[in-house]
Amino acid sequence: MLPTHMTPTKIRERLEEAEGRVDKEQFVSALEYVRDDGRTRR
């Protein structure tokens, strides 16, 4: 299970551990979407 709060460094480390199983561009895009959605729902 992943911690609920992850630093950018920890996220990079986890992506490296994924050894290509995760599309980094799609992952970053998803994070940006969630961040932006949280900003507009308040």
Side-chain angles (χ1 to χ4, degrees):
M1 180 187 259
L2 294 176
T4 56
H5 299 285
M6 292 183 70
T7 64
T9 301
K10 185 56 88 173
I11 291 171
R12 283 186 198 98
E13 290 171 358
R14 294 291 174 101
L15 286 172
E16 290 302 318
E17 291 171 4
E19 299 176 347
R21 295 177 298 208
V22 175
D23 182 326
K24 292 179 185 178
E25 292 301 317
Q26 284 186 341
F27 185 81
V28 170
S29 182
L31 287 176
E32 290 171 340
Y33 174 82
V34 169
R35 179 198 63 199
D36 293 344
D37 188 52
R39 289 180 178 171
T40 59
R41 287 192 165 201
R42 292 181 184 211

